[in-house]
Amino acid sequence: MSGDREAYIPALRYAWLTPIYDTVVRWTTRESTFKRALVAQADVQPQHRLLDVGCGTATLTIAIKVDCPDADVAGLDGDPGILATAGEKAARAGVSIALEQGYSFALPYGDNSFDRVVSSLFFHHLTTENKRRTLAEIMRVLKPGGEVHIADWGKPQNFVMRSVFFLVQLLDGFETTADNVQGRLPALIGEAGFQGINKTAEWAAPLGTIALLTAIKSA
Ligand SMILES: C[S@@+](CC[C@H](N)C(=O)[O-])C[C@H]1O[C@@H](n2cnc3c(N)ncnc32)[C@H](O)[C@@H]1O
C-alpha cells in the first residue's frame, strides 16, 4: 500500500507521549469549546450511525454517545495503544461505542453505511495524498445525504496564531500540517466531491487557529 510509510502518526507523534495526550489537548486547543460545537453541529439523531475517524482517546466519540445514547457510534484509529485508553475511558463513562483499529484511507466499512462522519485534530496527521484517500473513503462510507464534520487546525487568523502554530508543526511535522496552515482543507473536501462545504466557526487557541468545517454527500 503506498500510504504504509506513514500509515499513522501517533497522537503526539511519539508513542511515549500518548499518556499525556488528553492533558496537552485540554490545555492547548480549547478542546471543550470546539468539541461541544462539533457535537451540536453534527446534530446526531437516535437512528443515526456515526463514525469518528482518528478517534484517539475517544473524548469526542464518548461525548457524542452521551449526547445521543440511542445512536450507533463507532470510533476508528490506527494506533492500538490509544484505542486501549479509549476503551477504558468509554467503560468509565458507562457508554458502549464500537472501537476499531484501522486506517482512514482504507476504512473497514461498507459503502453508504454512515449518516455522519466526524473527526477532530486528525487531518493534520495525514500527508496530502492520504488526506485525499481518506476523504474519498469518507465519501464512500457515507450514505447519500450524509454529513461530514471536521474540526482541525486551520489557516491562522493572524500573525500571533501563525507564530504559535510553529510549535505544532515542530511536533507533528511540517509536511502533514502544510495543507491546514494554508487553509487548503475545504478545497480538498471539495475535490472529493462533497457539496455545501462550509467553515462554520473558528477559534483562537493557545497553539493556533481551530476551524470547524462541514460538508454533505449529495443525495
Ligand atoms: C491528534 S490525535 C486526535 C485524536 C482525537 N480525534 C482528538 O480529538 O483528541 C490524531 C489521531 O489520529 C490517529 N491517526 C493518524 N493517522 C491515522 C490514520 N491514517 N488512520 C487512522 N488513525 C490515524 C492517531 O493515532 C491519533 O490517535
Side-chain angles (χ1 to χ4, degrees):
M1 189 185 296
S2 63
D4 272 356
R5 180 176 63 88
E6 45 239 326
Y8 77 90
I9 297 173
L12 288 176
R13 193 166 192 102
Y14 305 103
W16 56 272
L17 287 176
T18 300
I20 62 165
Y21 176 76
D22 275 355
T23 307
V24 171
V25 164
R26 191 174 314 127
W27 291 109
T28 60
T29 68
R30 296 186 65 185
E31 182 185 31
S32 58
T33 300
F34 84 78
K35 284 186 178 167
R36 213 177 310 122
L38 198 162
V39 172
Q41 180 173 289
D43 190 27
V44 180
Q45 301 297 310
Q47 74 280 8
H48 278 172
R49 195 166 174 227
L50 175 143
L51 173 65
D52 181 2
V53 182
C55 65
T57 60
T59 306
L60 175 67
T61 336
I62 292 167
I64 287 168
K65 184 69 179 177
V66 168
D67 183 67
C68 191
D70 290 333
D72 183 352
V73 176
L76 173 125
D77 202 283
D79 181 350
I82 209 162
L83 285 175
T85 302
E88 289 161 16
K89 279 174 65 175
R92 278 200 301 277
V95 299
S96 169
I97 52 177
L99 295 168
E100 187 146 9
Q101 195 275 334
Y103 301 117
S104 59
F105 43 75
L107 293 175
Y109 308 104
D111 299 356
N112 308 319
S113 47
F114 291 97
D115 302 278
R116 299 282 186 272
V117 174
V118 299
S119 88
S120 80
L121 299 174
F122 163 67
F123 271 87
H124 73 280
H125 278 236
L126 303 175
T127 61
T128 304
E129 184 202 350
N130 282 344
K131 284 186 183 79
R132 287 201 170 98
R133 296 166 71 201
T134 295
L135 286 164
E137 278 292 86
I138 292 174
M139 176 61 103
R140 179 183 68 76
V141 302
L142 266 177
K143 295 176 186 174
E147 299 171 9
V148 61
H149 299 272
I150 296 172
D152 202 0
W153 299 113
K155 189 173 180 178
Q157 294 142 306
N158 54 46
F159 178 72
V160 174
M161 289 293 105
R162 180 65 191 93
S163 304
V164 291
F165 191 68
F166 274 117
L167 292 171
V168 176
Q169 296 193 286
L170 279 174
L171 181 70
D172 287 335
F174 285 85
E175 184 190 357
T176 60
T177 53
D179 293 317
N180 294 70
V181 81
Q182 286 163 27
R184 283 201 296 257
L185 218 42
L188 289 167
I189 295 169
E191 278 175 32
F194 286 93
Q195 307 291 310
I197 302 147
N198 238 315
K199 180 166 76 177
T200 53
E202 62 181 12
W203 296 270
L207 287 183
T209 297
I210 298 279
L212 181 58
L213 307 172
T214 181
I216 299 173
K217 173 174 175 175
S218 52

